[in-house]
């Protein structure tokens, strides 16, 4: 969970230096990062623009909120 909360701290610190208009979440391979995406969006109100499962620029793809929500809450989890 500390890596997830670290993302919120980073967003707060970056926003002190430069205006933020969106976020890119790399290595989105853990549920803590999924939760922090929601928390950062809730606090800053800017969109998630790109997500990636790896570490390189070729691992990024445009963010689809419906796909993201479906992955967090699959139909068989209820």
């Amino acid at each position: 969970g500390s890596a997830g909360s670290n993302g919120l701290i980073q967003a707060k610190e970056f926003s002190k230096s430069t205006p933020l208009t969106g976020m890119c979440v790399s290595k989105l391979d853990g549920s803590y990062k999924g939760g922090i995406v929601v928390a950062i969006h809730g606090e800053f109100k800017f969109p998630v623009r790109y997500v990636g499962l790896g570490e390189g620029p070729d691992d990024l793809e445009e963010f689809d909120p419906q796909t993201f929500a479906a992955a967090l809450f699959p139909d068989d989890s209820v």
Side-chain angles (χ1 to χ4, degrees):
S2 64
S5 63
N6 188 38
L8 187 56
I9 293 166
Q10 288 176 3
K12 286 179 183 178
E13 292 302 313
F14 289 144
S15 70
K16 292 177 184 178
S17 304
T18 187
L20 301 177
T21 60
M23 82 175 112
C24 173
V25 182
S26 62
K27 295 175 66 178
L28 187 63
D29 54 358
S31 60
Y32 65 87
K33 285 191 181 177
I36 203 60
V37 167
V38 175
I40 291 172
H41 175 72
E43 177 143 345
F44 293 96
K45 308 297 186 228
F46 53 68
V48 177
R49 299 196 189 275
Y50 295 95
V51 294
L53 294 177
E55 297 182 15
D58 293 336
D59 299 319
L60 295 175
E61 53 188 67
E62 287 191 43
F63 178 69
D64 177 13
Q66 286 77 24
T67 302
F68 179 74
L72 286 178
F73 305 104
D75 290 338
D76 61 349
S77 69
V78 181

